[in-house]
Amino acid sequence: NAGVTQTPKFRVLKTGQSMTLLCAQDMNHEYMYWYRQDPGMGLRLIHYSVGEGTTAKGEVPDGYNVSRLKKQNFLLGLESAAPSQTSVYFCASSSPDSIQETQYFGPGTRLLVL
Amino acid sequence: AQSVTQPDIHITVSEGASLELRCNYSYGATPYLFWYVQSPGQGLQLLLKYFSGDTLVQGIKGFEAEFKRSQSSFNLRKPSVHWSDAAEYFCAVGNNAGNMLTFGGGTRLMVKP
């Protein structure tokens, strides 16, 4: 039981390049989330999904797209990377079985945009 | 809109000393409150959570937190800190739908031997 995994662990991009971050969970959770973590700002929600085939915007969605084609996977895409997107990205998942179920976090992806 | 403030960016305590990390929240209804811990290079791990009932909540690793509605606070405490507690701690408030967490900016804890 791996929990929540993220690939890659680290990536360097040049401005304007694109990339996709992959999040996978093996807990059969309905809900999945993408956050970014910046110093002094905690974690901010980028996008989330409440089920396969559904996505919704969070607090800071601009410049990102997401897809949830399979229940266990949640992809975060950057179409044209900008230096402001240098951050650590965390994926999380949770079950809606009871209100405010715990969110389980992946180990993070560190992204540097030059 | 919900928000969380952690007034202390850095805290240093001696090993064996007591610890209190402050958290203040803003939320229009009954809040759902969480404390997470993040060790260097790791993801976040849930320490404890409050939904309702007893305002003193016990968590893992000997941590506890007290919900005080009158002060809009949810402070984290530990009676005796261990060197392994050095990490960053995040307070968060959740919405009623259970799908949005708002995090504070975090408090980095350092433990002196």
Side-chain angles (χ1 to χ4, degrees):
Chain A
N1 190 341
V4 180
T5 57
Q6 294 181 232
T7 52
K9 288 185 170 54
F10 177 70
R11 185 76 184 269
V12 178
L13 289 179
K14 294 181 180 178
T15 297
Q17 286 185 319
S18 64
M19 79 163 294
T20 299
L21 282 66
L22 171 63
C23 175
Q25 53 95 2
D26 61 4
M27 296 174 282
N28 202 35
H29 285 166
E30 289 292 333
Y31 292 0
M32 297 187 74
Y33 314 80
W34 275 108
Y35 294 89
R36 60 176 291 171
Q37 182 182 28
D38 302 292
M41 303 187 74
L43 277 73
R44 291 179 293 167
L45 184 65
I46 304 171
H47 286 280
Y48 65 97
S49 168
V50 298
E52 183 178 321
T54 72
T55 63
K57 294 180 180 180
E59 181 185 353
V60 288
D62 294 341
Y64 304 95
N65 57 75
V66 288
S67 64
R68 183 96 182 269
L69 299 179
K70 294 182 179 180
K71 185 178 182 179
Q72 63 268 33
N73 295 337
F74 194 30
L75 279 65
L76 177 71
L78 286 74
E79 290 187 349
S80 179
S84 61
Q85 293 178 304
T86 293
S87 187
V88 182
Y89 292 86
F90 287 98
C91 177
S93 71
S94 68
S95 168
D97 290 343
S98 64
I99 195 167
Q100 291 300 335
E101 271 291 326
T102 300
Q103 289 190 19
Y104 294 87
F105 285 81
T109 294
R110 189 173 297 272
L111 176 65
L112 174 62
V113 182
L114 301 175
Chain B
Q2 57 202 58
S3 66
V4 177
T5 301
Q6 294 180 244
D8 304 304
I9 298 174
H10 292 99
I11 283 186
T12 300
V13 299
S14 297
E15 190 168 17
S18 63
L19 171 70
E20 182 168 28
L21 302 182
R22 295 184 291 165
C23 172
N24 294 101
Y25 68 89
S26 173
Y27 189 66
T30 300
Y32 301 94
L33 296 161
F34 304 79
W35 274 101
Y36 282 85
V37 60
Q38 183 182 31
S39 297
Q42 303 296 314
L44 277 70
Q45 181 184 21
L46 181 70
L47 283 176
L48 48 79
K49 57 188 176 183
Y50 170 79
F51 293 165
S52 64
D54 193 347
T55 56
L56 185 62
V57 181
Q58 301 298 321
I60 62 171
K61 304 185 180 188
F63 285 92
E64 66 178 25
E66 186 171 13
F67 170 59
K68 293 186 178 180
R69 183 185 299 274
S70 62
Q71 299 176 19
S72 297
S73 69
F74 188 57
N75 294 349
L76 182 71
R77 301 193 295 247
K78 186 170 185 178
S80 178
V81 170
H82 187 263
W83 64 266
S84 60
D85 293 324
E88 189 154 21
Y89 293 79
F90 292 95
C91 182
V93 63
N95 67 348
N96 288 337
N99 55 13
M100 295 276 265
L101 282 182
T102 299
F103 286 83
T107 297
R108 184 168 298 279
L109 173 67
M110 292 191 290
V111 180
K112 292 189 301 184

